[in-house]
Amino acid sequence: MTQRYSIGLIGARGHTGRELLKLIDKHPNLDLIFAASRELAGKDVNEIAPAPDGLKFENSTPAALAYHNPDICILALPNGASQPFVEVFSEASPKTILIDLSADHRFDPAWAYGLPELYIGSQSLKGAHRIANPGCYATAAQLAIYPCLQHLASPPSVFGVSGYSGAGTNPSPKNDVERLSGNLMPYAPVGHIHEREISHHLGHDVRFTPHVHPAFSGILVTVHMAFKTPLSVEKMRTLYDKTYANHDLVAVQTEIPELRDATGIPGAIIGGFSISEDGLHGVAFAAEDNLLKGAAVQAIQNINLALHLDVLSGIKRA
Ligand SMILES: NC(=O)c1ccc[n+]([C@@H]2O[C@H](COP(=O)([O-])OP(=O)(O)OC[C@H]3O[C@@H](n4cnc5c(N)ncnc54)[C@H](OP(=O)(O)O)[C@@H]3O)[C@@H](O)[C@H]2O)c1
């Protein structure tokens, strides 16, 4: 008989929340028992996404939600909003596995960092109880840099472009469709939180500049790397092939991936490996959907691992 687990979702109205509702609905082992949104409280959940009949959005009140005592609870909240929920669940529902999509616990050693293709050996996600889901740009950039890590002579430079859903639903210039029309908007030229996240988890400094483009979703990163000793394109390609050989959600290809290639698919595409004549300067590109591999799909991978299920359970293979 299929083992079943109860799951709750807080922040269900948001961009990542809606993707999570769809993924939970088709997951063979998960039963959604609550979805929380302050704005939609009282409305049917399946008005915005597939959900069990009759399930209504609940208000985001930590004590009332912890009372459900779910096996898993996902926090899909803006940065800085998770703490009241973590505190109350830790006290009132201590067995619940918490997955935080925000940056609040990505630097906290008490939380496993959930980028399953890279750090599964060093910070075991299997059976983890507290999991910090990586940032969207941070996922693409780490996937693109990690295979070359031992060869780096200096901090890689990452040029990142994301669709405006990366900025959440709270109105800002970065999700203002009118302002973005026909536009590309650079921001946070130094010190972006994903720059710190990538540097922290790779154990190597990076430089990162994000940009927002006018489409709803999709991320493309272009990574420039200086190498200690010359590499060929073939050698570089081999590093990526070896790293991702057993990871179905990361495709490695010769061609440069374009942003639209990865929009709407669960995994990431890395390719376009290029090397300067002297072999000391290499470039790689990575594309992913910020809401999927950059957020919701990765959260489901992490839940699967925490529950000792197949890492791709409930996720369509790429
Ligand atoms: N969007 C992406 O591409 C992406 C990728 C990776 C990671 N992330 C991270 O994932 C998290 C969610 O992102 P998102 O894009 O889904 O954000 P979003 O669209 O703005 O949604 C956030 C949700 O949280 C709820 N909320 C906001 N403040 C709250 C509070 N103080 N207490 C309780 N609920 C609150 C809102 O619903 P109500 O107002 O109805 O309660 C809303 O549904 C963020 O931390 C983000 O950085 C996002």
Side-chain angles (χ1 to χ4, degrees):
M1 219 177 80
T2 309
Q3 178 85 38
R4 305 202 68 83
Y5 301 90
S6 57
I7 185 164
L9 172 62
I10 312 177
R13 175 181 64 84
H15 292 315
T16 60
R18 286 167 196 245
E19 294 301 330
L20 282 160
L21 287 171
K22 292 187 228 165
L23 286 161
I24 292 167
D25 186 68
K26 64 178 191 178
H27 196 294
N29 305 89
L30 300 179
D31 293 317
L32 185 70
I33 59 166
F34 69 82
S37 158
R38 299 163 304 176
E39 201 174 301
L40 300 179
K43 297 213 157 96
D44 279 336
V45 180
N46 58 24
E47 273 181 30
I48 70 158
D53 279 345
L55 191 74
K56 294 194 185 300
F57 282 105
E58 295 188 32
N59 214 331
S60 301
T61 314
L65 296 177
Y67 187 71
H68 287 286
N69 203 14
D71 294 314
I72 308 126
C73 182
I74 304 177
L75 308 172
L77 304 169
N79 293 340
S82 69
Q83 213 45 39
F85 297 94
V86 174
E87 277 173 20
V88 171
F89 270 80
S90 300
E91 183 73 23
S93 186
K95 290 199 177 136
T96 300
I97 296 167
L98 294 180
I99 315 283
D100 185 359
L101 264 71
S102 80
D104 293 359
H105 298 97
R106 293 183 197 148
F107 302 90
D108 183 341
W111 288 59
Y113 182 69
L115 210 171
E117 286 79 8
L118 300 187
Y119 305 114
I120 198 162
S122 55
Q123 294 181 37
S124 182
L125 289 160
K126 289 188 179 168
H129 199 56
R130 295 282 181 269
I131 300 177
N133 221 55
C136 45
Y137 285 119
T139 296
Q142 287 175 89
L143 290 172
I145 296 169
Y146 183 88
C148 291
L149 199 53
Q150 303 311 321
H151 298 271
L152 297 177
S154 59
S157 171
V158 181
F159 177 93
V161 180
S162 171
Y164 60 85
S165 59
T169 49
N170 225 7
S172 83
K174 295 203 287 291
N175 55 23
D176 177 340
V177 178
E178 215 164 280
R179 180 166 168 177
L180 283 166
S181 172
N183 197 4
L184 184 70
M185 191 187 294
Y187 65 103
V190 292
H192 188 283
I193 192 152
H194 290 195
E195 181 179 275
R196 287 194 277 129
E197 180 182 338
I198 303 161
S199 302
H200 177 80
H201 290 285
L202 286 176
H204 198 290
D205 273 353
V206 300
R207 309 282 180 248
F208 168 59
T209 313
H211 303 69
V212 194
H213 69 90
F216 178 67
S217 68
I219 275 188
L220 183 75
V221 295
T222 304
V223 181
H224 285 263
M225 297 173 277
F227 299 134
K228 291 183 228 166
T229 52
L231 291 186
S232 63
V233 169
E234 292 72 31
K235 166 77 180 163
M236 202 178 162
R237 169 74 191 249
T238 305
L239 294 171
Y240 288 80
D241 282 337
K242 277 193 179 156
T243 305
Y244 299 118
N246 299 317
H247 296 290
D248 287 3
L249 287 189
V250 182
V252 178
Q253 65 180 37
T254 304
E255 303 76 27
I256 297 176
E258 295 184 12
L259 190 130
R260 68 179 172 195
D261 297 340
T263 305
I265 67 165
I269 306 172
I270 306 180
F273 310 109
S274 310
I275 296 266
S276 61
E277 252 179 52
D278 63 6
L280 291 171
H281 171 204
V283 181
F285 301 82
E288 67 176 21
D289 191 313
N290 52 298
L291 296 175
L292 298 177
K293 181 59 182 158
V297 163
Q298 192 135 262
I300 298 294
Q301 287 181 276
N302 289 327
I303 289 168
N304 287 338
L305 289 168
L307 296 174
H308 299 278
L309 300 172
D310 182 317
V311 65
L312 292 184
S313 191
I315 300 167
K316 187 166 58 81
R317 281 167 206 268

